[in-house]
Amino acid sequence: MKYRVVALSLLVCVASLSTAAEVRIRYSNGIYNSRFFWIQYAHPGTLCTPSAGQYPVLLKTAHFGFEVGNAEVRVKIWSATGSTPGTVLASFYILTDPWPRWTDVSLEESKIIVNANNFFISSDTLWREFFVTFRGAMPRQYPGHHFTSQDDIKWVEAYADWAIECTVDTNYGIGVAPASLGRVKALYR
């Protein structure tokens, strides 16, 4: 009887753990109906705020809506406290795909895990007179998530919802059931 109680307790524990899921975080209505371009020093960034039940999250893929293909840009992933970007966690140089294709940037190799707070995703370019034309959703429906900057220090809230999205694995590293419940039962015989 004692072993059945232990096995049942283990089953209840495993069942009560949060399950992991792949989620695409987006702060827009998903209809990117406008084009924007800036001088090279103004570039878009989006603040991502997972819900409390999703932590920890593993960042898998950043998605960008560039209007032009084959332009070299730099993507940055930042830590963030509140709506303020903090430290650059990873930086990548990529070539863009033209809209309506998304420019997808794999983040998995960087193994960026966010345990709390927010994270921030931005893109810029150092070698072009004008920043690559970028997609946005108008009218803006998600204030407090989209920003532009000229120096990566001062960020100004944008007037559109940027085509910047991120796919994450939620509850990363928790909620993993044992390989075999029979094995667990055998351990308590």
Side-chain angles (χ1 to χ4, degrees), residues 3-20:
Y3 299 113
R4 285 185 185 157
V5 170
V6 170
L8 185 59
S9 296
L10 283 172
L11 285 173
V12 169
C13 275
V14 169
S16 68
L17 291 174
S18 298
T19 58

PDB file of all heavy atoms in Angstrom, residues 3-20:
ATOM      1  N   TYR A   3       3.820   1.674  -1.235  1.00  0.00           N
ATOM      2  CA  TYR A   3       4.433   1.882  -2.533  1.00  0.00           C
ATOM      3  C   TYR A   3       3.426   2.425  -3.545  1.00  0.00           C
ATOM      4  O   TYR A   3       3.773   3.208  -4.406  1.00  0.00           O
ATOM      5  CB  TYR A   3       5.062   0.591  -3.041  1.00  0.00           C
ATOM      6  CG  TYR A   3       6.152   0.103  -2.114  1.00  0.00           C
ATOM      7  CD1 TYR A   3       6.002  -1.072  -1.391  1.00  0.00           C
ATOM      8  CD2 TYR A   3       7.311   0.845  -1.941  1.00  0.00           C
ATOM      9  CE1 TYR A   3       6.987  -1.513  -0.537  1.00  0.00           C
ATOM     10  CE2 TYR A   3       8.305   0.421  -1.079  1.00  0.00           C
ATOM     11  CZ  TYR A   3       8.146  -0.757  -0.376  1.00  0.00           C
ATOM     12  OH  TYR A   3       9.120  -1.180   0.469  1.00  0.00           O
ATOM     13  N   ARG A   4       2.187   2.000  -3.423  1.00  0.00           N
ATOM     14  CA  ARG A   4       1.139   2.521  -4.314  1.00  0.00           C
ATOM     15  C   ARG A   4       0.912   4.005  -4.055  1.00  0.00           C
ATOM     16  O   ARG A   4       0.712   4.780  -4.984  1.00  0.00           O
ATOM     17  CB  ARG A   4      -0.163   1.753  -4.120  1.00  0.00           C
ATOM     18  CG  ARG A   4      -0.123   0.400  -4.733  1.00  0.00           C
ATOM     19  CD  ARG A   4      -1.466  -0.262  -4.630  1.00  0.00           C
ATOM     20  NE  ARG A   4      -1.363  -1.617  -5.138  1.00  0.00           N
ATOM     21  CZ  ARG A   4      -2.170  -2.580  -4.824  1.00  0.00           C
ATOM     22  NH1 ARG A   4      -3.185  -2.352  -3.999  1.00  0.00           N
ATOM     23  NH2 ARG A   4      -2.013  -3.789  -5.318  1.00  0.00           N
ATOM     24  N   VAL A   5       0.956   4.413  -2.800  1.00  0.00           N
ATOM     25  CA  VAL A   5       0.784   5.826  -2.451  1.00  0.00           C
ATOM     26  C   VAL A   5       1.933   6.649  -3.033  1.00  0.00           C
ATOM     27  O   VAL A   5       1.724   7.716  -3.599  1.00  0.00           O
ATOM     28  CB  VAL A   5       0.681   6.012  -0.908  1.00  0.00           C
ATOM     29  CG1 VAL A   5       0.741   7.482  -0.542  1.00  0.00           C
ATOM     30  CG2 VAL A   5      -0.589   5.373  -0.380  1.00  0.00           C
ATOM     31  N   VAL A   6       3.165   6.133  -2.920  1.00  0.00           N
ATOM     32  CA  VAL A   6       4.324   6.836  -3.472  1.00  0.00           C
ATOM     33  C   VAL A   6       4.201   6.936  -4.995  1.00  0.00           C
ATOM     34  O   VAL A   6       4.413   7.999  -5.579  1.00  0.00           O
ATOM     35  CB  VAL A   6       5.646   6.135  -3.057  1.00  0.00           C
ATOM     36  CG1 VAL A   6       6.824   6.700  -3.822  1.00  0.00           C
ATOM     37  CG2 VAL A   6       5.870   6.266  -1.561  1.00  0.00           C
ATOM     38  N   ALA A   7       3.853   5.827  -5.652  1.00  0.00           N
ATOM     39  CA  ALA A   7       3.705   5.826  -7.107  1.00  0.00           C
ATOM     40  C   ALA A   7       2.585   6.763  -7.532  1.00  0.00           C
ATOM     41  O   ALA A   7       2.733   7.514  -8.501  1.00  0.00           O
ATOM     42  CB  ALA A   7       3.445   4.413  -7.613  1.00  0.00           C
ATOM     43  N   LEU A   8       1.464   6.757  -6.816  1.00  0.00           N
ATOM     44  CA  LEU A   8       0.359   7.644  -7.122  1.00  0.00           C
ATOM     45  C   LEU A   8       0.769   9.099  -6.916  1.00  0.00           C
ATOM     46  O   LEU A   8       0.441   9.964  -7.728  1.00  0.00           O
ATOM     47  CB  LEU A   8      -0.864   7.300  -6.254  1.00  0.00           C
ATOM     48  CG  LEU A   8      -2.137   8.085  -6.550  1.00  0.00           C
ATOM     49  CD1 LEU A   8      -2.559   7.880  -8.007  1.00  0.00           C
ATOM     50  CD2 LEU A   8      -3.242   7.670  -5.620  1.00  0.00           C
ATOM     51  N   SER A   9       1.517   9.380  -5.871  1.00  0.00           N
ATOM     52  CA  SER A   9       2.002  10.741  -5.619  1.00  0.00           C
ATOM     53  C   SER A   9       2.905  11.213  -6.751  1.00  0.00           C
ATOM     54  O   SER A   9       2.820  12.361  -7.182  1.00  0.00           O
ATOM     55  CB  SER A   9       2.772  10.804  -4.301  1.00  0.00           C
ATOM     56  OG  SER A   9       1.910  10.513  -3.228  1.00  0.00           O
ATOM     57  N   LEU A  10       3.774  10.325  -7.232  1.00  0.00           N
ATOM     58  CA  LEU A  10       4.638  10.674  -8.363  1.00  0.00           C
ATOM     59  C   LEU A  10       3.822  10.976  -9.612  1.00  0.00           C
ATOM     60  O   LEU A  10       4.109  11.926 -10.338  1.00  0.00           O
ATOM     61  CB  LEU A  10       5.631   9.556  -8.641  1.00  0.00           C
ATOM     62  CG  LEU A  10       6.815   9.468  -7.687  1.00  0.00           C
ATOM     63  CD1 LEU A  10       7.610   8.198  -7.949  1.00  0.00           C
ATOM     64  CD2 LEU A  10       7.695  10.685  -7.832  1.00  0.00           C
ATOM     65  N   LEU A  11       2.800  10.180  -9.866  1.00  0.00           N
ATOM     66  CA  LEU A  11       1.948  10.413 -11.028  1.00  0.00           C
ATOM     67  C   LEU A  11       1.243  11.761 -10.922  1.00  0.00           C
ATOM     68  O   LEU A  11       1.137  12.489 -11.902  1.00  0.00           O
ATOM     69  CB  LEU A  11       0.928   9.293 -11.187  1.00  0.00           C
ATOM     70  CG  LEU A  11       1.466   7.980 -11.735  1.00  0.00           C
ATOM     71  CD1 LEU A  11       0.378   6.908 -11.678  1.00  0.00           C
ATOM     72  CD2 LEU A  11       1.966   8.166 -13.147  1.00  0.00           C
ATOM     73  N   VAL A  12       0.746  12.089  -9.744  1.00  0.00           N
ATOM     74  CA  VAL A  12       0.068  13.373  -9.541  1.00  0.00           C
ATOM     75  C   VAL A  12       1.049  14.514  -9.749  1.00  0.00           C
ATOM     76  O   VAL A  12       0.734  15.513 -10.386  1.00  0.00           O
ATOM     77  CB  VAL A  12      -0.587  13.427  -8.139  1.00  0.00           C
ATOM     78  CG1 VAL A  12      -1.058  14.838  -7.820  1.00  0.00           C
ATOM     79  CG2 VAL A  12      -1.744  12.444  -8.059  1.00  0.00           C
ATOM     80  N   CYS A  13       2.294  14.376  -9.233  1.00  0.00           N
ATOM     81  CA  CYS A  13       3.317  15.403  -9.422  1.00  0.00           C
ATOM     82  C   CYS A  13       3.619  15.608 -10.894  1.00  0.00           C
ATOM     83  O   CYS A  13       3.684  16.730 -11.367  1.00  0.00           O
ATOM     84  CB  CYS A  13       4.602  15.043  -8.690  1.00  0.00           C
ATOM     85  SG  CYS A  13       4.607  15.538  -6.988  1.00  0.00           S
ATOM     86  N   VAL A  14       3.819  14.531 -11.622  1.00  0.00           N
ATOM     87  CA  VAL A  14       4.130  14.622 -13.037  1.00  0.00           C
ATOM     88  C   VAL A  14       2.963  15.255 -13.792  1.00  0.00           C
ATOM     89  O   VAL A  14       3.156  16.110 -14.641  1.00  0.00           O
ATOM     90  CB  VAL A  14       4.486  13.232 -13.610  1.00  0.00           C
ATOM     91  CG1 VAL A  14       4.539  13.257 -15.131  1.00  0.00           C
ATOM     92  CG2 VAL A  14       5.813  12.752 -13.039  1.00  0.00           C
ATOM     93  N   ALA A  15       1.759  14.866 -13.466  1.00  0.00           N
ATOM     94  CA  ALA A  15       0.578  15.408 -14.151  1.00  0.00           C
ATOM     95  C   ALA A  15       0.365  16.876 -13.848  1.00  0.00           C
ATOM     96  O   ALA A  15      -0.159  17.616 -14.673  1.00  0.00           O
ATOM     97  CB  ALA A  15      -0.663  14.603 -13.759  1.00  0.00           C
ATOM     98  N   SER A  16       0.784  17.348 -12.670  1.00  0.00           N
ATOM     99  CA  SER A  16       0.533  18.735 -12.291  1.00  0.00           C
ATOM    100  C   SER A  16       1.574  19.700 -12.840  1.00  0.00           C
ATOM    101  O   SER A  16       1.371  20.906 -12.808  1.00  0.00           O
ATOM    102  CB  SER A  16       0.471  18.861 -10.765  1.00  0.00           C
ATOM    103  OG  SER A  16       1.751  18.612 -10.210  1.00  0.00           O
ATOM    104  N   LEU A  17       2.686  19.179 -13.349  1.00  0.00           N
ATOM    105  CA  LEU A  17       3.699  20.059 -13.905  1.00  0.00           C
ATOM    106  C   LEU A  17       3.166  20.724 -15.167  1.00  0.00           C
ATOM    107  O   LEU A  17       2.419  20.146 -15.934  1.00  0.00           O
ATOM    108  CB  LEU A  17       4.963  19.266 -14.237  1.00  0.00           C
ATOM    109  CG  LEU A  17       5.753  18.732 -13.050  1.00  0.00           C
ATOM    110  CD1 LEU A  17       6.885  17.847 -13.543  1.00  0.00           C
ATOM    111  CD2 LEU A  17       6.285  19.854 -12.197  1.00  0.00           C
ATOM    112  N   SER A  18       3.592  21.974 -15.392  1.00  0.00           N
ATOM    113  CA  SER A  18       3.199  22.676 -16.604  1.00  0.00           C
ATOM    114  C   SER A  18       3.811  21.983 -17.804  1.00  0.00           C
ATOM    115  O   SER A  18       4.933  21.499 -17.749  1.00  0.00           O
ATOM    116  CB  SER A  18       3.688  24.112 -16.545  1.00  0.00           C
ATOM    117  OG  SER A  18       3.105  24.778 -15.466  1.00  0.00           O
ATOM    118  N   THR A  19       3.072  21.947 -18.880  1.00  0.00           N
ATOM    119  CA  THR A  19       3.585  21.304 -20.071  1.00  0.00           C
ATOM    120  C   THR A  19       4.238  22.337 -20.973  1.00  0.00           C
ATOM    121  O   THR A  19       3.816  23.492 -21.038  1.00  0.00           O
ATOM    122  CB  THR A  19       2.452  20.585 -20.828  1.00  0.00           C
ATOM    123  OG1 THR A  19       1.446  21.544 -21.151  1.00  0.00           O
ATOM    124  CG2 THR A  19       1.872  19.465 -20.002  1.00  0.00           C
ATOM    125  N   ALA A  20       5.247  21.892 -21.670  1.00  0.00           N
ATOM    126  CA  ALA A  20       5.951  22.758 -22.602  1.00  0.00           C
ATOM    127  C   ALA A  20       5.144  22.890 -23.885  1.00  0.00           C
ATOM    128  O   ALA A  20       4.410  21.984 -24.258  1.00  0.00           O
ATOM    129  CB  ALA A  20       7.330  22.191 -22.891  1.00  0.00           C
TER     130      ALA A  20
END
